[in-house]
Amino acid sequence: MAKIQKTVLNRVEGEIELKLLWENGRIKDAFIIAPNFRGFEFILEGKPPLDALVINPRICGICGHAHLIATVKALENLYENAGENIEIPEKAKLIRDLTLSSEIIQNHLRWFYLSVLPDFLKLDKNPKLRKYQPIKGSQWRKGLDYSSKIVKVVAIFGGQWPHTSYAIPGGVTSDPTTFEVAEAIAIVSSVLDFYEKNILGMPADKYLSVKNLDEYLENAKSSDLKAFLNLCLKHNLHKVGKAYHRFLTVCDISPSISKGTTKRKRKDFDINKVKEVDAYSFLTEKGFSFDKNRYSWAKAVRYDGLPYETSPLARRINNRDELFLNLVNDFKDSYMVRTWARIDEVLKLLLSMKKWLSQIDIKETSYIKPKKDVKELEGKAFGFCEAARGSLIHEIQVKEGKIKKYNIITPSTWNLGPRCPDYLSPAEKAIKGLKSSLLAEMVLRSFDVCSVCTTH
Amino acid sequence: MQFFEREHLRSIFTKPTNYINTNRGKEYYDNLYKKMEKRLNELKAQQPVREAEIKFQELLETWELSRRDFLKWVSATTAMLMLPPQFEPLVAQAAEVMNRVPIIWINIQDCAGNTEALLRRASPTVDELILEYLSVEYQEVIMAAAGDQAEENLHKAVKDFDGKYLLFVEGSIPVGMPEAFTIGRHPKTGVEHVKHLAEHAAAVIAVGACACFGGVPAAHPNPTGAVGVMDIVKGKPIVNIPACPANPANITGVIIHYILTGELPELDSLLRPKFAFGYRIHDNCERRAHFDAGEFVEEWGDEGAKNNFCLYKMGCKGPFTFNNCSIVRYNEGTNWPIGVGRGCIGCSEPDFWDKYATERPLADSDIQPPGLHGVEAAVDEVGLGLLTATVIGIGVHAVASAIAGKKDETNEEQ
């Protein structure tokens, strides 16, 4: 009979634990445990709807801005559902997309340099990798530097980062000047320059015509992405970490992100097919339960009854990016492809940001007052947003000027949530069958672990 | 609009305050200077915490920072600590002996926002000062170690630096529901974790609104029974650095003060350092002139909003909130909420989610706005300099201000 050994890898990042069951040197089963809980959904109940705009960004210190956008969109959807036309100025839309994109970019840069590359130091003894060493490595520092730099764009338009609250139903409160727009353009250009030289190893337009892995590796100069891909090939990371090969994206950020679901074929996203399952969660429909089988504060979320991966890779697939359709064809949704998608997205967003910044008309108003006070509205509404890690859904129910119920489905709930009676979560599935705990940890990181918002 | 009548405004801004005494006289500063010099010499004689010492100068070079960048930072930090400019050489020396003080930073019911804010500061980066030069023995968001190795590192740090390390806590502690925070192979609850690490620390520094006063998790109905550090840690010096997120400049300020004096800075009744929380946002707000002129934003997007008028009527809590963010700002001084017309939500005050948040009309609130001086009195006394303070920035305060080495009685060094 096979021997089962239990290994706990706690604190993979923030506070996530990974429990592994071993059999014959392979991982037989994996449990992803989110051990922390704060209870935002309960705190929001009974509060005035606009309070959600200051409370929700605090769900996460990394993706707080995405939570603000999801909240404001949910409130705007409340108007639409009540038959009230709500107008958002073009300028406000551009500013929201700009700040959201900078938050996503800062996250990806930070994650690539602070979380992904240092793992390879444990896997590979090549002294050339020292530049990726935490704190001391030159590239590690550059990654941190540029992720700090891009976040200033959020501060310019949103006041501060983390935890901005400048978006309101009807637009944004900020009225940027030409000087501020110019400052943002300078920041974006310098990050793009860093990205081309250090990460891509080729000019952006040349990279955009790349169709597959070999073509990239042949043409790229020495760069961090090239080094990463070669390390993946050397250590077989293009073959491991496969999840369900089903991808979900809930909203558009034109032109780089388009909503949809892909299960072999691409279809539209339908919110009515989303269900949360609490069979293995401490948080249940009726309250709290600490039964033996329950192991995480997160719930499982299923689309049409099935687990879907939501991530930059899902966005690339649903956006029909040729490079990634080819990569998934060649290597499936493996560690290498999932990680590359996150890095690839930085470029798409930087280029979009450049375009949006040139489109801002500072003479236009930032806010159009809705015809009714939000407190006069009642009903149920949804806010959809693409955050760094994937798709974010906020659901609000308002009655008599107060929040009656608030439900949040974070990107990490999709990927790192617990299992349901029928399926493991995508990350649990991706870890199953691996031969080392380091690999398990790396595959878990390829989903960009964030526990704080998983449980909110 | 009876609420905004002159008489009413005068009455709400004339309550007693905990203003810092900024004029302590030459003798006081001379003594403080000598005391700090002595402390720095003691630290210089000590070995750095880590075996391989990196020279501070080399560090500046590897980070491609000039001496001039560093001096700019020194001057801003000296001013923030309310020390006169002649203390600048001491602050520079303090930065250079930062590696004599070990740090342990833990996250409980947090959002990692304070860590992120700290990581997003630069020039000369706190990444450099804090992460590299300061001896951070344990910080779970940025450290490379994971799993058992991380747990071992923590045990080792507690053992090696027993009674010497500064414990930074980010996030609230769920006393009402211990299951809401458990961690490790042998699960420890948040309460056990904080109490254990605090017991062996030299001092505990609560960073962010959650660790100080429970923050968002403690908002009504407080589902997990979240509290701040000071509610469960007794008999240890505690500093609260609230705000959501805490301003990284204030975190560095507390560390530098500890290095300079071996003591925690002078604290107010809520254990907040007075150098940062000794005055109101309103006192140095860039929109203050509009308040004094009676020019208010009446609704989002109106002419007042386009002209950066005062946000008081839009629910700005600046007059009620003690914090220095109107001067220090966020993201390397790039901006702050009032800069984008959103108003202050009072995030450095206890229970602000239930009491202060935007949707709490001031007229209905039971907030006691503090303030020793009336609005006019403040202008008379400090002079028009106040109105231009944000333009000149931090420097204005440097001249007139000073920290105190005096300790709060409840925070007597052990």
Side-chain angles (χ1 to χ4, degrees):
Chain A
M1 212 176 98
K3 200 183 165 192
I4 294 172
Q5 184 207 346
K6 197 169 125 184
T7 304
V8 179
L9 296 175
N10 62 302
R11 294 173 203 269
V12 169
E13 187 170 325
E15 307 96 4
I16 272 264
E17 295 180 20
L18 180 57
K19 191 170 97 181
L20 303 172
L21 297 183
W22 295 87
E23 191 175 63
N24 300 331
R26 271 179 190 275
I27 294 167
K28 192 188 168 210
D29 201 356
F31 297 84
I32 295 167
I33 303 165
N36 298 344
F37 174 71
R38 290 167 297 165
F40 270 80
E41 287 156 346
F42 298 94
I43 289 161
L44 287 161
E45 265 176 41
K47 291 201 163 57
L50 291 184
D51 267 18
L53 291 172
V54 288
I55 291 177
N56 289 349
R58 271 84 185 172
I59 291 170
C60 182
I62 303 161
C63 290
H65 185 273
H67 284 282
L68 171 70
I69 298 297
T71 309
V72 84
K73 283 189 176 174
L75 292 172
E76 285 166 355
N77 186 233
L78 199 63
Y79 279 96
E80 287 157 13
N81 290 350
E84 295 289 328
N85 185 31
I86 187 152
E87 253 187 292
I88 322 286
E90 199 51 37
K91 183 167 109 181
K93 283 186 198 159
L94 290 172
I95 289 174
R96 288 180 188 181
D97 282 349
L98 272 167
T99 41
L100 184 62
S101 302
S102 9
E103 183 176 79
I104 295 175
I105 293 167
Q106 78 80 24
N107 178 78
H108 292 351
L109 290 178
R110 168 192 179 276
W111 165 83
F112 187 53
Y113 286 103
L114 271 65
S115 294
V116 171
L117 289 172
D119 277 341
F120 286 92
L121 295 162
K122 298 176 200 160
L123 209 59
D124 201 304
K125 297 293 163 217
N126 188 344
K128 278 186 179 165
L129 294 179
R130 271 190 213 140
K131 60 183 174 185
Y132 303 126
Q133 207 181 347
I135 299 166
K136 293 190 174 65
S138 59
Q139 289 305 98
W140 189 95
R141 287 171 178 171
K142 269 191 190 163
L144 191 63
D145 257 11
Y146 281 91
S147 83
S148 301
K149 198 161 196 178
I150 192 73
V151 96
K152 281 191 195 169
V153 175
V154 188
I156 289 170
F157 297 110
Q160 69 182 61
W161 190 90
H163 301 336
T164 38
S165 286
Y166 72 103
I168 45 174
V172 295
T173 59
S174 56
D175 244 326
T177 60
T178 316
F179 174 76
E180 284 161 333
V181 173
E183 204 183 343
I185 292 173
I187 292 170
V188 171
S189 304
S190 81
V191 177
L192 188 57
D193 188 50
F194 160 79
Y195 183 86
E196 286 180 322
K197 286 187 184 134
N198 288 265
I199 298 182
L200 288 184
M202 58 168 70
D205 50 352
K206 196 172 171 196
Y207 173 82
L208 289 175
S209 68
V210 168
K211 299 272 186 302
N212 57 50
L213 175 71
D214 292 339
E215 198 186 327
Y216 173 76
L217 290 178
E218 273 161 33
N219 292 299
K221 289 199 192 98
S222 149
S223 72
D224 294 338
L225 178 59
K226 192 176 179 180
F228 166 79
L229 294 173
N230 281 324
L231 281 165
C232 283
L233 293 174
K234 185 177 165 195
H235 296 282
N236 276 329
L237 289 163
H238 57 306
K239 290 182 183 159
V240 302
K242 292 168 202 158
Y244 287 102
H245 211 283
R246 283 192 291 265
F247 307 101
L248 178 141
T249 307
V250 297
C251 98
D252 297 310
I253 304 181
S254 175
S256 39
I257 292 172
S258 39
K259 67 178 170 194
T261 60
T262 302
K263 185 182 115 185
R264 286 189 293 275
K265 277 189 176 161
R266 189 179 171 280
K267 284 187 180 149
D268 277 346
F269 168 74
D270 176 5
I271 181 67
N272 297 316
K273 291 184 177 171
V274 176
K275 291 273 176 317
E276 280 189 293
V277 187
D278 59 22
Y280 291 87
S281 168
F282 298 133
L283 186 61
T284 71
E285 200 62 38
K286 287 174 195 135
F288 307 106
S289 170
F290 300 100
D291 287 355
K292 205 164 90 246
N293 287 335
R294 301 175 186 274
Y295 63 92
S296 179
W297 276 103
K299 288 179 187 167
V301 54
R302 299 289 176 258
Y303 183 80
D304 213 4
L306 296 168
Y308 272 73
E309 173 174 345
T310 168
S311 62
L313 176 59
R315 295 197 278 251
R316 301 276 63 80
I317 301 298
N318 285 320
N319 204 45
R320 314 316 278 170
D321 278 21
E322 203 183 344
L323 170 63
F324 280 88
L325 291 175
N326 290 339
L327 285 174
V328 167
N329 202 27
D330 296 345
F331 306 103
K332 302 281 185 289
D333 47 342
S334 60
Y335 173 91
M336 181 183 81
V337 179
R338 186 176 296 118
T339 308
W340 189 354
R342 224 170 271 273
I343 292 311
D344 177 272
E345 186 167 86
V346 173
L347 176 68
K348 309 280 159 68
L349 293 176
L350 281 171
L351 295 174
S352 303
M353 283 176 77
K354 263 189 115 167
K355 201 177 106 206
W356 297 329
L357 280 163
S358 71
Q359 287 171 348
I360 286 186
D361 175 5
I362 57 157
K363 281 184 263 150
E364 197 189 348
T365 184
S366 302
Y367 170 80
I368 297 170
K369 195 186 175 192
K371 288 182 188 70
K372 268 190 174 174
D373 190 324
V374 71
K375 286 178 200 156
E376 295 167 35
L377 305 171
E378 290 202 336
K380 186 168 141 180
F382 289 99
F384 302 111
C385 176
E386 284 298 319
R389 289 168 185 76
S391 303
L392 172 63
I393 300 174
H394 279 213
E395 181 190 347
I396 189 171
Q397 285 180 46
V398 179
K399 209 179 171 195
E400 288 161 3
K402 295 271 162 69
I403 296 171
K404 198 178 153 222
K405 207 165 169 29
Y406 208 102
N407 191 32
I408 300 153
I409 300 174
T410 65
S412 302
T413 316
W414 292 93
N415 297 337
L416 316 172
R419 60 204 59 198
C420 67
D422 300 324
Y423 298 98
L424 303 180
S425 67
E428 287 176 340
K429 164 87 163 48
I431 289 165
K432 204 175 153 178
L434 293 175
K435 286 180 186 166
S436 87
S437 51
L438 176 58
L439 276 183
E441 209 181 298
M442 287 173 76
V443 167
L444 181 54
R445 279 209 177 119
S446 74
F447 288 91
D448 199 355
V449 173
C450 175
S451 83
V452 291
C453 88
T454 315
T455 56
H456 39 276
Chain B
M1 295 299 277
Q2 197 192 347
F3 180 62
F4 293 105
E5 273 176 14
R6 203 88 182 140
E7 276 313 301
H8 190 85
L9 283 178
R10 192 192 302 262
S11 77
I12 59 172
F13 291 116
T14 47
K15 296 283 193 296
T17 179
N18 57 352
Y19 271 114
I20 183 161
N21 178 2
T22 54
N23 187 12
R24 289 164 188 263
K26 188 174 177 299
E27 196 189 339
Y28 171 82
Y29 294 116
D30 287 348
N31 288 336
L32 186 62
Y33 196 93
K34 277 183 207 135
K35 189 179 157 184
M36 288 179 175
E37 256 185 336
K38 190 168 161 254
R39 158 86 175 163
L40 287 173
N41 287 333
E42 280 166 17
L43 284 176
K44 274 181 212 159
Q46 281 174 25
Q47 286 297 310
V49 173
R50 287 210 187 104
E51 284 164 28
E53 189 191 359
I54 319 161
K55 291 272 182 297
F56 193 77
Q57 193 53 43
E58 287 167 22
L59 206 65
L60 286 178
E61 278 158 23
T62 50
W63 275 92
E64 292 167 20
L65 291 162
S66 67
R67 192 75 195 162
R68 195 168 160 268
D69 287 331
F70 175 62
L71 291 177
K72 268 204 270 183
W73 175 86
V74 166
S75 138
T77 305
T78 312
M80 189 188 67
L81 287 169
M82 298 193 164
L83 289 167
Q86 65 264 32
F87 281 74
E88 283 179 12
L90 294 186
V91 171
Q93 287 174 46
E96 292 175 19
V97 291
M98 263 181 152
N99 57 354
R100 268 68 163 179
V101 177
I103 302 272
I104 291 176
W105 180 305
I106 56 165
N107 297 50
I108 311 290
Q109 277 183 303
D110 69 312
C111 70
N114 301 293
T115 302
E116 289 301 323
L118 194 64
L119 287 173
R120 293 301 170 269
R121 198 170 131 77
S123 294
T125 51
V126 174
D127 317 333
E128 152 228 305
L129 292 169
I130 301 274
L131 304 184
E132 187 159 2
Y133 202 62
L134 190 70
S135 185
V136 182
E137 299 302 304
Y138 183 90
Q139 213 295 3
E140 58 203 34
V141 180
I142 52 161
M143 68 188 177
D148 292 344
Q149 197 201 338
E151 235 171 283
E152 271 164 37
N153 289 359
L154 182 60
H155 282 303
K156 191 170 179 303
V158 174
K159 218 176 97 200
D160 291 353
F161 308 111
D162 198 349
K164 289 184 188 138
Y165 61 85
L166 292 179
L167 175 68
F168 284 77
V169 181
E170 182 176 1
S172 53
I173 307 123
V175 293
M177 188 193 276
E179 297 91 342
F181 179 92
T182 52
I183 198 84
R185 188 195 279 276
H186 310 290
K188 248 188 186 163
T189 66
V191 179
E192 289 162 355
H193 200 48
V194 173
K195 276 192 174 166
H196 168 74
L197 292 174
E199 200 183 311
H200 298 272
V204 189
I205 297 157
V207 177
C210 294
C212 295
F213 312 122
V216 194
H220 180 78
N222 194 350
T224 59
V227 297
V229 170
M230 64 181 178
D231 296 309
I232 63 157
V233 172
K234 303 288 172 204
K236 277 284 160 179
I238 298 174
V239 183
N240 283 330
I241 310 177
C244 188
N247 203 315
N250 295 338
I251 303 171
T252 325
V254 169
I255 298 171
I256 295 278
H257 187 279
Y258 181 76
I259 288 167
L260 281 170
T261 60
E263 291 163 2
L264 299 177
E266 190 186 0
L267 306 174
D268 71 6
S269 59
L270 293 167
L271 307 185
R272 303 178 295 193
K274 282 192 177 180
F275 72 77
F277 301 92
Y279 44 95
R280 298 166 306 189
I281 286 199
H282 190 64
D283 297 340
N284 300 296
C285 181
E286 63 202 24
R287 296 182 185 226
R288 172 62 183 267
H290 293 294
F291 174 88
D292 293 344
E295 295 170 334
F296 297 98
V297 176
E298 305 279 346
E299 61 182 40
W300 305 126
D302 69 4
E303 276 308 299
K306 288 191 174 69
N307 288 300
N308 297 337
F309 282 3
C310 175
L311 293 158
Y312 185 73
K313 290 190 183 180
M314 297 307 293
C316 177
K317 307 298 186 294
F320 303 80
T321 306
F322 285 84
N323 204 342
N324 57 357
C325 49
S326 45
I327 297 174
V328 181
R329 301 181 169 213
Y330 279 92
N331 304 92
E332 281 181 77
T334 305
N335 214 341
W336 65 310
I338 289 175
V340 294
R342 189 63 169 98
C344 163
I345 59 167
C347 70
S348 52
E349 302 300 319
D351 306 327
F352 70 103
W353 301 109
D354 294 322
K355 265 165 66 180
Y356 280 35
T358 2
E359 284 302 283
R360 302 289 173 278
L362 290 172
D364 301 345
S365 78
D366 56 353
I367 305 166
Q368 289 296 315
L372 182 61
H373 315 285
V375 173
E376 298 80 9
V379 176
D380 290 345
E381 207 166 279
V382 192
L384 287 168
L386 232 178
L387 301 177
T388 50
T390 43
V391 182
I392 302 165
I394 231 160
V396 168
H397 270 266
V399 188
S401 315
I403 43 144
K406 202 185 117 195
K407 285 170 288 180
D408 191 296
E409 213 172 44
T410 54
N411 278 283
E412 202 63 49
E413 195 81 34
Q414 301 279 301

